Amino acid sequence: MESRFRSRSNLQICAGLEPFPHSMYIRIMVLRTQRYTGRVAQDLPTSSSRFAVSQLKPVLKTLLIPAIALAPFALTLACGGDAAPGVDDNHDGLPDDLGKFVDANHDGIADSIDINHDGKVDGPAVDTNGDGKPDGLALDTNCDSRYDSVDTDGDGLPNLKTSREKIVVPSGCTYVNPVMSNQGGGSGGAPGTAGAPGTAGAPGTAGAPGTAGAAHGGSPGTAGAPGTAGSGGGTVGSQLGGNPTYQGSGDSTDRYAEGDVYRNGVGYKFIANGWGDNWQSHGIAWKGTSFTVKTFAGAQGANYSPAGYPSMFCGLYSKKQSDTCGLPIAISSAKSIKTGWRWKANGNTGQYNAAWDIWLGNNGTLSSYLMVWLRDPPGQQPAGAAATAGATITGLPGTWTIIKGSVNGLPIVNYVQPEGKDLGELEFNVLDVYNDAIKRGYSLPGSQIMAVAIGYEIWNGPVTNLVTEDFYVDVK
């Protein structure tokens, strides 16, 4: 098995833009032969504009949206200073990790946006990636008169959620979807129930000693740093949290323990995957798509290989097949492959990542890897060479470093979050990331998405109480 890692001491520093704060990042990473050696640096855009209710009156007249949908816009901008320190330090009414309001004509009034391109204005425009152009619609999903999320795909539901404060939806709150309200539709979605954090996959044949491949890498979602919602919570439009129905559980110290599990009736498989040469021991418990690495001991092996990669997946992965979950699927047939993961570091700061590992292939034969790293650990990096720094990706928050290379002769493309910018929670459409790689001319052969996996590649222990709260894959 060709290693996908290299010591960071050999890395070169790459100049670039530093990404937005953690809730804005997602990382795709492929751990292969060569390693990326730099980190990305980017200035965070700030807004000097302050808004008052009197300034907003012209905007409210032109938006032609029900007053209840616009109320958060007026109140938030008037009271933006009420947010806790560190949430909205520029007092523009939008959490700083979501970007800033667009004011192209510099009149002190937030510009509006038609996010779904139906000819009707939907609400205040947000620049999420710092390029000065509107690419999102500000949302108040919990009725507290402050914006907390951004819609980037035009459905009126949040794609990006602030991690600067927990979004709690009170029982008396009914979210009014500004896009659907504009179309004469209903009042918008109630908080979703789904998903649990994923943990990046690793290639290989896991399940028999020494055969499970090294993981492609991966780092935690928005957690590690506080997640956007507490365990069991839910945010409008999110499929993470809530009260998903879990079936299948286990608790084992076996090196290659595995189990079939279900989330809301959809099949997944957990694998303990202690494949590394220097794996020593672990204790892992799982229930549905949640799992906890209670203890882990081991050390980095030859060629920078991790000691283990406990993971959860949907599809055909590492020569193992989960129960029915919609994968594998022909890319040409898939309308969307949405996935989400919420995890918590619980004080673990060492050499482990948290990452999605996505396998592509033809007729069940693996042909390439796509990874998204939510955590880039100190002293470790994915294999390959930096192809793009400061990249913005449709459906992903902030900016990313893209690293591409090969593993075992197969192409791999990694979307990576910077070290120290851990994401504890993320939801995105796999096809958005795949299409971005193809448009950039990167090689990702394969006509199928075979599997979507999440997990923690652990190079050096000890690790205790590393938690995946929820993970899901929703294939349409």
Side-chain angles (χ1 to χ4, degrees):
M1 173 62 63
E2 185 177 2
S3 173
R4 292 169 291 167
F5 308 92
R6 175 178 297 176
S7 170
R8 191 178 298 255
S9 61
N10 296 328
L11 303 183
Q12 298 176 347
I13 303 301
C14 299
L17 299 178
E18 174 152 357
F20 285 80
H22 23 281
S23 75
M24 303 267 322
Y25 307 106
I26 181 173
R27 139 179 309 178
I28 276 185
M29 179 169 192
V30 171
L31 296 180
R32 299 304 187 225
T33 51
Q34 296 176 330
R35 308 259 332 184
Y36 172 55
T37 61
R39 53 187 313 189
V40 187
Q42 161 184 347
D43 295 331
L44 270 179
T46 58
S47 172
S48 59
S49 302
R50 293 184 61 93
F51 302 85
V53 173
S54 61
Q55 291 176 302
L56 292 174
K57 289 179 181 178
V59 179
L60 299 180
K61 291 179 181 179
T62 61
L63 292 184
L64 301 177
I65 304 173
I68 188 171
L70 286 175
F73 185 34
L75 294 175
T76 301
L77 297 186
C79 307
D82 293 341
V87 177
D88 180 22
D89 289 343
N90 62 4
H91 306 295
D92 68 349
L94 184 74
D96 297 335
D97 60 346
L98 295 179
K100 65 177 182 179
F101 287 112
V102 176
D103 181 20
N105 60 357
H106 306 292
D107 63 355
I109 301 174
D111 296 345
S112 56
I113 188 171
D114 172 15
I115 191 66
N116 62 341
H117 308 292
D118 65 350
K120 300 177 182 178
V121 172
D122 298 304
V126 176
D127 169 19
T128 65
N129 58 21
D131 65 358
K133 300 177 182 178
D135 52 21
L137 169 67
L139 303 174
D140 170 23
T141 64
N142 63 352
C143 308
D144 67 351
S145 298
R146 291 206 305 266
Y147 291 113
D148 51 59
S149 305
V150 174
D151 168 26
T152 61
D153 62 11
D155 62 359
L157 300 175
N159 300 103
L160 310 178
K161 297 168 287 184
T162 182
S163 66
R164 299 296 181 88
E165 60 181 356
K166 181 179 291 186
I167 304 173
V168 178
V169 182
S171 57
C173 171
T174 299
Y175 173 64
V176 178
N177 184 318
V179 174
M180 298 307 296
S181 297
N182 240 357
Q183 298 174 350
S187 58
T193 57
T199 57
T205 59
T211 58
H216 314 322
S219 43
T222 49
T228 57
S231 174
T235 306
V236 176
S238 171
Q239 293 187 45
L240 288 172
N243 295 295
T245 300
Y246 286 152
Q247 293 175 288
S249 61
D251 192 331
S252 180
T253 59
D254 186 86
R255 186 172 186 175
Y256 297 103
E258 63 179 72
D260 290 311
V261 298
Y262 299 84
R263 182 185 187 280
N264 293 339
V266 176
Y268 300 81
K269 185 180 285 288
F270 170 78
I271 53 176
N273 207 8
W275 64 271
D277 293 340
N278 291 335
W279 176 91
Q280 298 173 14
S281 66
H282 62 212
I284 306 176
W286 63 94
K287 181 178 181 181
T289 57
S290 66
F291 67 94
T292 299
V293 181
K294 298 187 293 183
T295 61
F296 187 97
Q300 175 179 300
N303 299 317
Y304 311 103
S305 61
Y309 180 58
S311 43
M312 186 79 66
F313 67 89
C314 155
L316 177 59
Y317 183 75
S318 197
K319 296 186 178 180
K320 298 178 182 293
Q321 175 71 59
S322 69
D323 206 346
T324 304
C325 70
L327 297 179
I329 188 173
I331 296 172
S332 60
S333 300
K335 295 181 180 178
S336 72
I337 305 174
K338 188 174 182 182
T339 183
W341 183 17
R342 177 184 295 159
W343 66 280
K344 285 187 176 179
N346 288 329
N348 290 287
T349 59
Q351 288 194 340
Y352 69 91
N353 68 14
W356 268 272
D357 188 19
I358 300 161
W359 285 23
L360 293 85
N362 297 295
N363 299 318
T365 300
L366 178 65
S367 58
S368 62
Y369 307 95
L370 177 62
M371 294 195 74
V372 177
W373 286 41
L374 299 182
R375 182 176 195 265
D376 183 13
Q380 301 292 344
Q381 286 284 328
T388 303
T392 58
I393 318 299
T394 298
L396 297 186
T399 58
W400 299 81
T401 296
I402 305 175
I403 300 172
K404 65 186 183 76
S406 65
V407 175
N408 299 322
L410 301 180
I412 184 170
V413 179
N414 306 283
Y415 289 69
V416 184
Q417 192 60 195
E419 182 181 341
K421 299 289 187 178
D422 299 0
L423 282 178
E425 179 177 325
L426 181 65
E427 294 175 85
F428 66 98
N429 184 351
V430 170
L431 297 180
D432 284 342
V433 180
Y434 169 79
N435 288 332
D436 179 83
I438 297 302
K439 289 177 181 177
R440 294 177 189 274
Y442 304 151
S443 175
L444 279 176
S447 62
Q448 295 176 308
I449 300 295
M450 293 175 56
V452 174
I454 57 154
Y456 310 103
E457 287 183 312
I458 304 172
W459 282 266
N460 292 291
V463 166
T464 59
N465 197 32
L466 183 59
V467 174
T468 282
E469 292 188 345
D470 197 15
F471 164 67
Y472 75 88
V473 178
D474 184 10
V475 181
K476 302 292 187 184

